[in-house]
Amino acid sequence: MSMASPQIFSSPNFNCASFRSSFASSRPFTLSSTSSSASPSPRLLRSLKNSAVKASRNRVEIVYDPEERLNKLGDDVDKEAPMSRLSLFSPCKINVFLRITGKREDGYHDLASLFHVISLGDTIKFSLSPSKTKDRLSTNVSGVPLDERNLIIKALNLYRKKTGSTKFFWVHLDKKVPTGAGLGGGSSNAATALWAANQFNGGVASEKELQEWSSEIGSDISFFFSHGAAYCTGRGEVVQDLPPPLPLDLPMVLIKPPEACSTADVYRRFRLDQTSKIDPLLLLENITSNGISQDVCVNDLEPPAFEVLPSLKRLKQRVIAAGRGDYDAVFMSGSGSTIVGIGSPDPPQFIYDDDDYKNVFLSEANFMTREANEWYKEPPSATATTQSSESEQSYQ
């Protein structure tokens, strides 16, 4: 009995697991007797018997040698099976603490921060483009650049530069993370694009290479190639992967006013002599040992950000006052303008009652990580809302 023709193995719908299972459950071919008015000749019987023995031996050789022959065949099929579409979750992050430790000769600042991925994120859909010269990017919100200014396009260009790949993509960005929020949404999008491009190209680059390359187009991108929690130094590109220091089910609420904080404006107002002097490694040790508290959630960029947006300081103070102990800590993430309340998924009531906050972006979230050799998985129930009928205002 011969195997099926090779064409079936090149089909994109071919399922190797099903293939192995169907063969494993098959029974060897046997010759069954049939009724006939005419008895077959001895020569014909010998021929049929020999054919049955050969078929049985061939089938036994295949069925009972799965680890070598069938698995190798399945692996070859998996390797050559074409990929044409891929949808990935692109989560954002918060800085549980953020210390600025010095000014660098290249004009950047050295930082020391506990970064952690959270469950709020975008969805990015990739498909191979018939074009051999250009990527195409679309999105569901206004105000997001769709050309080479976008970190997704920069990441795809970087991947081709590093690997020599000739693949181009159609990309749709379903945006839920507001921009100018200090949540690293754009950096996450870039990391996700690098991961996707590598999947389409058969994983020719290691995760370590993707992480190292990413620092060429952004400081925070490297972090997303951790497993979700990391102690980051340098410009943010030096990433020390950590076991999750906090419970992944610890709830939080994100509150972002419609006004964005320009990172450049925040750093222009930053004064090194006005920062906290606490050792960031001590902060990390305290969080790992004792969990979240207000005194460990230090962000040296809060004072300059509050100068850029005085209303942001008032928002933080009101959340602390109205929380009445509901939150273990309230702090700004990154360079703003998101205020994070850890310990409860619910915003204070004044967010709903006060007209000054009718346009804020709200989302509950929790900490999350990813498995080795896999990208982040979208949580089953992540909610993000805005206190406005014109939700696009939150993304401007």
Side-chain angles (χ1 to χ4, degrees):
M1 181 178 179
S2 61
M3 292 179 63
S5 61
Q7 285 83 351
I8 192 172
F9 303 133
S10 63
S11 168
N13 296 319
F14 179 72
N15 187 311
C16 292
S18 299
F19 171 76
R20 295 187 182 106
S21 176
S22 64
F23 259 105
S25 62
S26 298
R27 296 180 178 176
F29 173 82
T30 58
L31 182 64
S32 60
S33 62
T34 57
S35 61
S36 174
S37 60
S39 299
S41 68
R43 182 177 180 182
L44 178 59
L45 284 172
R46 283 196 301 272
S47 176
L48 289 171
K49 181 179 179 181
N50 290 336
S51 297
V53 169
K54 288 180 182 178
S56 179
R57 284 174 181 167
N58 287 341
R59 175 56 66 85
V60 168
E61 181 183 0
I62 294 172
V63 169
Y64 297 105
D65 192 14
E67 291 187 359
E68 290 186 15
R69 291 195 60 173
L70 290 185
N71 284 350
K72 182 178 185 302
L73 177 60
D75 290 341
D76 290 342
V77 172
D78 286 342
K79 188 183 299 182
E80 295 180 3
M83 176 183 288
S84 60
R85 293 181 179 84
L86 185 61
S87 180
L88 292 174
F89 184 57
S90 178
C92 63
K93 58 82 181 171
I94 62 170
N95 302 86
V96 181
F97 66 80
L98 176 55
R99 285 289 337 280
I100 307 298
T101 58
K103 183 73 178 287
R104 300 158 53 104
E105 292 183 359
D106 60 10
Y108 290 95
H109 288 79
D110 280 316
L111 61 83
S113 177
L114 173 56
F115 282 63
H116 210 306
V117 169
I118 61 172
S119 57
L120 172 66
D122 305 326
T123 300
I124 312 181
K125 297 179 180 179
F126 300 86
S127 60
L128 283 175
S129 169
S131 167
K132 299 296 183 181
T133 59
K134 190 175 182 180
D135 299 302
R136 188 179 72 182
L137 175 63
S138 61
T139 186
N140 62 318
V141 298
S142 62
V144 175
L146 303 178
D147 54 18
E148 284 73 12
R149 293 172 296 167
N150 193 292
L151 281 171
I152 292 175
I153 303 299
K154 288 183 178 181
L156 297 176
N157 286 334
L158 177 68
Y159 187 85
R160 285 187 287 265
K161 173 186 171 184
K162 295 293 186 181
T163 64
S165 169
T166 58
K167 290 183 171 62
F168 287 79
F169 301 91
W170 287 348
V171 184
H172 180 74
L173 171 62
D174 185 2
K175 196 82 180 136
K176 294 184 176 68
V177 180
T179 57
L183 299 175
S187 296
S188 174
N189 292 168
T192 305
L194 284 172
W195 178 275
N198 200 42
Q199 296 302 300
F200 277 97
N201 285 275
V204 297
S206 67
E207 285 189 33
K208 188 66 175 175
E209 287 174 317
L210 296 176
Q211 187 177 56
E212 291 172 351
W213 297 345
S214 69
S215 65
E216 296 184 20
I217 56 174
S219 300
D220 292 350
I221 304 171
S222 302
F223 158 69
F224 289 95
F225 291 102
S226 73
H227 289 110
Y231 180 65
C232 299
T233 54
R235 293 183 291 114
E237 85 286 4
V238 181
V239 180
Q240 179 184 341
D241 221 328
L242 298 173
L246 296 163
L248 296 183
D249 59 356
L250 184 62
M252 69 186 75
V253 62
L254 311 176
I255 308 171
K256 183 206 171 292
E259 299 85 11
C261 264
S262 162
T263 301
D265 287 345
V266 171
Y267 273 104
R268 270 194 288 268
R269 293 173 181 255
F270 174 76
R271 299 292 180 269
L272 194 59
D273 58 0
Q274 297 177 357
T275 63
S276 168
K277 304 306 177 189
I278 190 168
D279 184 345
L281 287 173
L282 182 59
L283 292 174
L284 181 60
E285 181 182 347
N286 287 342
I287 289 171
T288 303
S289 301
N290 305 314
I292 287 282
S293 60
Q294 189 66 48
D295 60 336
V296 296
C297 294
V298 174
N299 186 342
D300 286 337
L301 294 182
E302 281 191 4
F306 292 163
E307 288 184 27
V308 174
L309 278 181
S311 59
L312 197 58
K313 182 177 182 179
R314 292 195 297 273
L315 174 59
K316 177 188 173 182
Q317 292 172 335
R318 290 193 66 179
V319 172
I320 292 173
R324 296 186 179 88
D326 288 343
Y327 307 111
D328 301 318
V330 177
F331 55 91
M332 185 184 78
S333 179
S335 58
S337 58
T338 299
I339 298 297
V340 182
I342 301 285
S344 171
D346 302 317
Q349 186 60 40
F350 76 84
I351 294 292
Y352 298 108
D353 297 340
D354 195 324
D355 285 346
D356 289 342
Y357 300 104
K358 65 181 180 181
N359 292 328
V360 301
F361 171 91
L362 294 174
S363 178
E364 62 182 67
N366 54 271
F367 295 111
M368 66 178 297
T369 58
R370 69 181 178 96
E371 299 295 328
N373 304 314
E374 296 183 4
W375 200 239
Y376 299 94
K377 305 297 185 185
E378 184 169 9
S381 59
T383 60
T385 61
T386 180
Q387 294 288 97
S388 170
S389 59
E390 300 179 16
S391 61
E392 292 185 0
Q393 288 184 11
S394 295
Y395 298 93
Q396 301 300 319

